[in-house]
Amino acid sequence: MKRTNRILKPCILLSVLITFLPIFSNGVEAAIGTNKVTNIGAIIDVNSRIGKEEKTALEMAVQNFNLISTNHELALHLRHPGEDPLQVAYAAKELIKEKKVKVIIGMDKWEEAALVANIGNQYRIPILSFATPAITPPLTTLRWPFLMRMASDGSEQMRCIAALVGCYNWRKVVVVYEDNVYGGESGNLALLSEDLREVGAEIAYHLVLPPFSLSTDLKDVVHHELIKLQKDTESRVFIVLQSSLPMLTYLFREAKNMGLVGRDTAWILSNSITSFLDSMNNSVISSMEGALGIQTYYSSSSSYQSFEAQFRKIFRAEYQDEDNFLPGIQALRAYDSIGMVTQAIEKFGSDSISPKMLLNSVLGSDFTGLTGEIHFKDGMLSDAPTLRIVNVVGKKYKELDFWSNPGFSKTLYAEDGKERCSNSSVCNITGCLSGPVIWPGDLNDRDPKGWALPTNARPLRIVVPKRTSFDKFVTFQTGDALPEGFCIDIFHEVVERLNYSLPHEFFEHDGLYDEMIVGVYNKTYDAAIGDITILAERTKYVEFTQPYAESGLSMIVPFANKDSAWIFMKPFSLQTWIVSGAIFIYTLLIVWFLEHQSNPYFRGLPLKVQIENALWLLSCSLFFIHAEKLYSNLTRIVVVMWLFVVFICTASYTANLTSMLTVQRMEEPNFSEYKIFQTKHLTVGCDNDSFVQNYLERAFQKGSPIASDFSRAILRLSEKGTLKTLEERWFAPSPECSPTATNNNVERLSLGSFKGIYIVSATISTICFLLVLIPLVRNSRNHQEANEGNVTPSGKSGASKGGEVSKPFYNGDKTRIPRRASTFTQALDTDRWGSSRWERVSNSDNLENHHEDSSQAEIEMA
C-alpha cells in the first residue's frame, strides 16, 4: 500500500505539471511577444584582459537597457573566433545569417575589422569597430560605407611620444613591438619615424618580438633578442608600441635582470600597453618602475562612478584570478557603443529601423557617454583623444601632465603660452613634464641620458692621432702613454664639469683622420679627440661637439706681380680720372678768360689759337716747365691753387704707382680655380693626413648624448675665458713672427681722396671768374646807355658802336688793353673806371709792346 502511494504521488505531481505547463508556456510567449527583440553581435577575444573588460561592459549595457526598457529588448550574441582573422570573418557571417544581428560590435585589431567590414558591405550590416588603422587609407568611407570606427588613429599618440623624446634631448630610440603576419604596426612606425625626425631624433633599432602564439620558450626568446640589442646599439630609450600581456611580462623581467631597466635608461609605453597596467600583478608592475606611459584620459563623472562600482562587482565575481578590477578605456567604449545603438533603436523602433537608418543615426548622433562627447567624421571619431602621461612608481602609477598638441600642461585646459611646455630649447634643458619623474634606477638628480654610458668595466674608448702636423693641438711624448696638448686639456676641463663620471682610456692612431672617423662610425672607438675639421661629409657618420677653434681651407701660392700695359691708369679710379680732367678743363677756361684781354700771349689771336695757348700753358704747369708770364692777379691766384692741386695729385699718383710696381702681391685663388687644379691636373701639395687631398679629389658616435653635454661644457668654458687661457698657453706668439699682419694689396685712389682739394680749387676759380665778369657786364651796360640816341658821322647810331663791347672776347684784329697796372687794385680800377683810357691798337702794336711790357711786374711759373 505504501509502495502504491509512493508511485501515485509522482504521477499526481507529473499530471499537475503537465496541466500547468501550457499555461506557463503561453505566459512566457505572451511576455516575449510584448517586447521587440534586437539582436546585436559581438566579436571579441575573451582570453585577453581587454576582451574580458569589453565582454563585461557589453553585458552590463544590455542588462541595464533591458531593465529599464518596456517595449524593447536586446539580445547579445558573443563570438570568440580566436586570433585568426579568417575565423573572425566566418564568425561575422554566422552572426548575420543565423542570429539575424542588426549590428556587429568589437574587433580590437584593424586586420580583423577590415575583413568584417567587407562582410558588412556584402550584407549591408553596420559594423562598429574598436580599432582603426594608424594611417587611414584613402577612400576608406567609400570602400567600407557600413564601417564605423569607434577609435582615433595613432597620429596624436605618436606626436606625444616624439615630443617626450625631443624634450629630453634623446637622439636615438629603440622601438619594441610584437610581430604579427599582417604588419599591424607599420602605420605607427611610419608616423613615429616622421615625428621623431621633426625633433631631431631617429629610430636606431627595431626590437621585434615573435608572436606570443608561436613562441614555445618566451624567456629564452626575449633574452636572446635583448642580447642582440646590447651588441648592436648604444641607445637606451625604449618605446613599446604593441605587445600581448604575457610577452610584455617576460620582456620587462628579462630587461630588468640584464640592466636595461636601470640608470640612464628610459621606457615609454604606448596607450595599448598602458592599458595593461590596471590588470598586471604587482611583481610585473614593479619591474616596470620608472616607465612613462601614454594613457587616454576620461573624466570621472557621476555616471562613471556608478558604472565603475557595478563593473568591479561583476568583474570580480567572474574573473577572480585577476589582480585589478578597474575598467579601462576599451570597457568604457564598449559600454558607450551599446548606448549609441539603443539610442538609434528608440528613435526609429526596432521593427521600422533599417541597417542604413541605424548606420546614419549612429554616425550623425551627438552622444555623450562615459568617454565624453562622441562625434563621427569620415567614419571615425572626429575629436582627437585627450592624452595623459603616467609614471609607473612602485606597484602602481601616478598621473603627470596632459598632452595637447603642441605641448604638455599641468591642467587639462591650459591657456596658450601658459603652463605649457613643448619641445623648445627651454624644455630641452629643464625637461618637459612639470611634475617630478621617477626614472628607472632611482635616477632622481638628473634626467636619463638614454645611452649606454661608460663604466669602469667598460670605459669610453677615445682614439687620438699619434702623428699631427701641429703638435700643439695633440701629441704623444716619447715613452708616455697619455697624450697632451690643447685638445686634451679642453677634454679634461669638460670632464670635470660634467654631472656624471666618464671613465675613459686613450688609443693611438697612426693613420689618416678619415680612418679615425670610420673607427668611431663602426664602433671600434666611442669618440675621437684632436684637430679634426668638421666637414659636411663627416657629419653623416659621426656627431661633432661645439667647435672650439676656427678652421677653414687656405692655400699658399707663390708671389706674383700682375703687371699690364695699362698699369699707369690703375693708381686712380675711373671717377678720379674723369673729375680730374673736368677740373683741368674748367681751370683752363678760367685762365683764358682772365688773361686773354691783357696777355699778349692771347691778345688779338684767333679764338682757337687762344684756347690752344691756354691749354699749353696749363699743361706745362703739370710738369713745372713753362715760364709764361701772367698779367692778372686773379689769374695768379687761380694758377697758384691749380699748382697746389697738381702737386697733391702728382705726389699721390707717383706714390701709388710706385707701390703697384714694387710691392709683391699674393695670388688669391677662388673656388672656381680649385676646379682648374682638377681639370688641368696641376700639382698641389698638402699635408699627408689632411682632408684637403680628398676635398680636391671629390668626434663621438652618431646620436651620442655625450656630444651635446660636451658642447654645452665647451660653451661654458668659452664664456668663463678658460678657452682663451688655454689658447694663450699652447699658442703663444713666436718672437720671430710679427704680431701684426700687413696687407700687400694696393688699392686705387678713389675720388674721395681728392674731393676736398677739388672743391677748393673750383670754388676759387669761380670766385675769380665772377670778380671779372660782373664789372665787365656792368660797364657794357653803361656804354650802351651812353651811346643810345647819338648818331655817328657815318650816320649810324651809337647802338651799333656799343656792339663792339663784346669784341674783346673773340676779335682777332683789334682789341683794347688797359694801361700798365702795377697792382691788382689798379688793374681792377682800370677795368671799372678807365673806359676812356682804352685805345685802339693793331696786332703789330701788340707785338711791339710785347717787348716793352716785359719790364712790367710779372710772375714766372717755377
Side-chain angles (χ1 to χ4, degrees):
M1 189 69 176
K2 292 181 178 179
R3 180 185 175 91
T4 304
N5 291 336
R6 285 197 298 268
I7 295 175
L8 290 174
K9 285 182 180 178
C11 293
I12 295 172
L13 291 174
L14 180 60
S15 63
V16 172
L17 288 174
I18 294 174
T19 302
F20 284 96
L21 183 59
I23 299 175
F24 287 122
S25 178
N26 293 335
V28 173
E29 290 177 357
I32 294 176
T34 57
N35 289 338
K36 301 174 182 178
V37 179
T38 301
N39 295 314
I40 298 177
I43 300 177
I44 56 178
D45 180 10
V46 295
N47 292 330
S48 66
R49 166 70 189 209
I50 293 178
K52 293 175 183 179
E53 292 184 11
E54 291 173 346
K55 175 180 177 294
T56 303
L58 289 173
E59 292 174 343
M60 285 176 53
V62 171
Q63 180 183 1
N64 293 340
F65 176 79
N66 290 339
L67 287 176
I68 63 175
S69 178
T70 59
N71 58 352
H72 284 84
E73 228 178 72
L74 299 180
L76 181 64
H77 303 277
L78 290 173
R79 291 294 181 270
H80 170 53
E83 298 183 358
D84 187 358
L86 296 179
Q87 293 296 325
V88 173
Y90 177 80
K93 280 187 177 182
E94 188 260 338
L95 287 172
I96 295 173
K97 288 182 177 181
E98 297 183 7
K99 300 302 180 181
K100 308 300 181 183
V101 297
K102 289 192 174 183
V103 63
I104 297 179
I105 301 174
M107 291 75 68
D108 292 308
K109 298 179 180 179
W110 171 244
E111 54 268 21
E112 299 175 351
L115 291 176
V116 175
N118 291 329
I119 304 299
N121 289 350
Q122 182 180 353
Y123 293 95
R124 302 182 65 82
I125 296 296
I127 308 298
L128 188 57
S129 169
F130 297 148
T132 187
I135 301 176
T136 303
L139 305 178
T140 300
T141 56
L142 296 178
R143 184 177 181 182
W144 297 298
F146 286 87
L147 176 62
M148 298 173 288
R149 292 161 288 159
M150 198 170 175
S152 301
D153 58 24
S155 58
E156 195 68 19
Q157 184 179 189
M158 296 304 108
R159 276 194 290 265
C160 178
I161 294 175
L164 281 173
V165 173
C167 286
Y168 289 104
N169 203 29
W170 298 321
R171 290 292 171 260
K172 292 200 173 188
V173 302
V174 177
V175 177
V176 184
Y177 55 93
E178 185 176 336
D179 191 20
N180 62 66
V181 295
Y182 301 98
E185 292 305 311
S186 58
N188 282 328
L189 286 174
L191 290 174
L192 181 60
S193 298
E194 181 179 353
D195 292 331
L196 287 175
R197 281 195 297 269
E198 293 183 358
V199 298
E202 62 179 345
I203 298 176
Y205 190 86
H206 291 257
L207 178 58
V208 184
L209 301 173
F212 168 71
S213 59
L214 302 180
S215 302
T216 56
D217 191 345
L218 289 179
K219 182 177 180 181
D220 288 343
V221 169
V222 173
H223 184 79
H224 177 70
E225 293 295 332
L226 292 178
I227 289 179
K228 287 173 54 180
L229 179 145
Q230 288 180 317
K231 293 180 179 179
D232 294 341
T233 182
E234 302 293 327
S235 176
R236 294 298 181 263
V237 179
F238 302 93
I239 301 175
V240 187
L241 291 181
Q242 186 274 332
S243 174
S244 61
L245 183 55
M247 184 66 75
L248 189 70
T249 302
Y250 280 99
L251 171 65
F252 273 95
R253 283 177 177 173
E254 288 300 315
K256 191 173 185 65
N257 293 335
M258 298 174 63
L260 295 177
V261 186
R263 292 179 65 86
D264 287 301
T265 66
W267 289 78
I268 302 177
L269 312 177
S270 67
N271 187 28
S272 62
I273 304 299
T274 308
S275 62
F276 291 142
L277 295 178
D278 294 327
S279 58
M280 290 180 177
N281 57 46
N282 294 335
S283 61
V284 177
I285 295 181
S286 62
S287 65
M288 303 171 63
E289 184 173 16
L292 294 177
I294 312 297
Q295 189 179 67
T296 302
Y297 172 80
Y298 49 89
S299 61
S300 179
S301 60
S302 58
S303 58
Y304 169 78
Q305 295 174 359
S306 175
F307 166 81
E308 179 188 340
Q310 184 184 4
F311 180 90
R312 295 180 64 178
K313 181 179 180 181
I314 297 175
F315 197 81
R316 185 193 300 269
E318 188 170 359
Y319 305 104
Q320 297 181 3
D321 56 333
E322 295 287 343
D323 294 331
N324 192 293
F325 309 107
L326 291 175
I329 184 63
Q330 295 298 102
L332 303 184
R333 286 179 175 171
Y335 192 90
D336 287 343
S337 65
I338 297 295
M340 290 188 296
V341 172
T342 56
Q343 178 178 277
I345 293 176
E346 289 181 338
K347 181 179 180 181
F348 297 101
S350 61
D351 292 337
S352 59
I353 189 172
S354 65
K356 190 67 175 178
M357 294 170 61
L358 176 61
L359 175 69
N360 294 333
S361 177
V362 173
L363 291 178
S365 65
D366 292 331
F367 182 81
T368 302
L370 298 177
T371 56
E373 296 183 357
I374 299 177
H375 306 280
F376 286 91
K377 181 180 180 182
D378 297 330
M380 61 179 280
L381 294 179
S382 59
D383 298 329
T386 301
L387 302 179
R388 188 159 196 174
I389 312 301
V390 298
N391 187 201
V392 180
V393 180
K395 300 179 180 180
K396 56 182 180 180
Y397 62 88
K398 66 175 182 177
E399 297 176 339
L400 298 177
D401 291 359
F402 293 94
W403 161 261
S404 179
N405 194 20
F408 301 93
S409 61
K410 292 184 290 186
T411 59
L412 181 58
Y413 302 103
E415 298 182 16
D416 292 339
K418 296 181 180 180
E419 297 184 347
R420 186 176 297 281
C421 186
S422 60
N423 53 337
S424 61
S425 58
V426 177
C427 295
N428 288 341
I429 299 175
T430 62
C432 296
L433 304 176
S434 58
V437 180
I438 304 300
W439 297 107
D442 297 327
L443 190 66
N444 298 323
D445 55 337
R446 59 178 175 85
D447 297 328
K449 296 300 177 183
W451 196 259
L453 292 181
T455 61
N456 292 328
R458 188 186 179 281
L460 190 71
R461 298 161 298 176
I462 302 176
V463 59
V464 180
K466 180 180 180 180
R467 201 166 33 86
T468 61
S469 301
F470 309 99
D471 56 4
K472 298 293 185 180
F473 283 101
V474 60
T475 185
F476 280 92
Q477 298 294 341
T478 304
D480 194 353
L482 296 178
E484 63 179 20
F486 176 67
C487 301
I488 303 301
D489 283 357
I490 292 181
F491 172 78
H492 290 309
E493 292 286 345
V494 169
V495 170
E496 291 179 1
R497 286 161 174 78
L498 297 178
N499 57 355
Y500 53 90
S501 61
L502 194 68
H504 57 274
E505 57 181 337
F506 295 104
F507 296 88
E508 296 180 358
H509 175 76
D510 190 5
L512 299 177
Y513 279 52
D514 284 341
E515 294 176 355
M516 286 198 307
I517 300 297
V518 173
V520 177
Y521 173 70
N522 61 24
K523 300 179 183 178
T524 303
Y525 307 105
D526 298 313
I529 296 179
D531 51 339
I532 306 172
T533 305
I534 302 176
L535 300 177
E537 184 67 21
R538 291 175 177 176
T539 58
K540 298 178 182 179
Y541 306 101
V542 294
E543 194 93 15
F544 285 93
T545 65
Q546 175 74 18
Y548 48 82
E550 294 184 1
S551 63
L553 182 63
S554 301
M555 296 190 67
I556 301 177
V557 297
F559 285 113
N561 291 324
K562 295 182 180 180
D563 298 333
S564 67
W566 297 94
I567 193 173
F568 67 91
M569 297 292 294
K570 291 185 177 181
F572 288 167
S573 65
L574 179 61
Q575 286 184 328
T576 306
W577 282 114
I578 295 175
V579 176
S580 299
I583 291 293
F584 175 79
I585 296 174
Y586 182 71
T587 306
L588 180 147
L589 295 175
I590 295 297
V591 170
W592 170 80
F593 178 79
L594 297 177
E595 287 290 314
H596 81 283
Q597 296 182 5
S598 58
N599 196 327
Y601 197 65
F602 303 99
R603 187 174 60 240
L605 300 177
L607 181 61
K608 177 181 178 182
V609 177
Q610 295 183 42
I611 296 299
E612 292 175 352
N613 292 338
L615 179 62
W616 172 251
L617 184 147
L618 217 58
S619 298
C620 291
S621 65
L622 295 175
F623 309 100
F624 311 102
I625 60 174
H626 78 291
E628 282 73 12
K629 302 169 185 176
L630 299 177
Y631 289 83
S632 173
N633 289 332
L634 294 178
T635 307
R636 294 166 185 161
I637 294 176
V638 172
V639 171
V640 167
M641 190 62 223
W642 169 249
L643 291 176
F644 186 68
V645 172
V646 170
F647 174 76
I648 295 296
C649 292
T650 303
S652 301
Y653 177 88
T654 304
N656 208 31
L657 181 61
T658 303
S659 299
M660 290 183 175
L661 293 175
T662 58
V663 176
Q664 289 181 316
R665 295 178 305 282
M666 189 77 74
E667 288 185 351
E668 299 180 354
N670 52 30
F671 184 79
S672 62
E673 290 179 297
Y674 297 157
K675 300 298 182 182
I676 297 177
F677 297 151
Q678 296 176 341
T679 56
K680 294 186 177 181
H681 303 286
L682 301 179
T683 302
V684 180
C686 65
D687 181 14
N688 188 40
D689 298 330
S690 176
F691 68 92
V692 176
Q693 180 178 356
N694 290 334
Y695 184 83
L696 292 177
E697 289 178 356
R698 317 171 261 127
F700 290 98
Q701 293 180 12
K702 195 73 173 175
S704 172
I706 305 178
S708 59
D709 294 340
F710 267 62
S711 297
R712 284 191 290 269
I714 289 172
L715 290 176
R716 288 193 291 267
L717 290 176
S718 177
E719 293 172 356
K720 294 182 179 181
T722 307
L723 279 182
K724 184 66 176 178
T725 303
L726 294 177
E727 289 177 359
E728 293 175 351
R729 172 187 171 187
W730 286 100
F731 307 111
S734 174
E736 290 84 6
C737 299
S738 173
T740 60
T742 58
N743 184 9
N744 292 332
N745 295 328
V746 181
E747 297 181 354
R748 291 182 172 187
L749 295 176
S750 63
L751 180 61
S753 304
F754 305 101
K755 182 185 296 184
I757 191 66
Y758 283 167
I759 292 176
V760 172
S761 175
T763 301
I764 292 177
S765 299
T766 304
I767 293 175
C768 294
F769 171 72
L770 294 177
L771 289 177
V772 174
L773 180 63
I774 293 174
L776 185 61
V777 172
R778 186 180 300 167
N779 291 338
S780 175
R781 290 180 179 177
N782 292 337
H783 281 286
Q784 186 174 0
E785 292 174 357
N787 294 329
E788 285 181 355
N790 296 329
V791 180
T792 60
S794 60
K796 297 182 180 180
S797 64
S800 62
K801 187 176 182 180
E804 297 180 359
V805 176
S806 60
K807 290 182 179 180
F809 292 100
Y810 51 84
N811 195 334
D813 295 331
K814 294 182 179 180
T815 185
R816 53 177 184 165
I817 59 172
R819 296 188 180 274
R820 178 178 179 181
S822 59
T823 65
F824 171 78
T825 305
Q826 292 177 351
L828 184 60
D829 291 341
T830 303
D831 288 341
R832 283 187 176 181
W833 312 106
S835 60
S836 58
R837 292 181 291 180
W838 290 66
E839 57 185 16
R840 299 285 180 177
V841 294
S842 64
N843 289 336
S844 59
D845 295 333
N846 293 338
L847 296 177
E848 295 174 357
N849 294 332
H850 178 72
H851 300 286
E852 298 176 359
D853 294 338
S854 60
S855 59
Q856 298 178 0
E858 57 189 20
I859 181 171
E860 294 185 357
M861 306 296 293

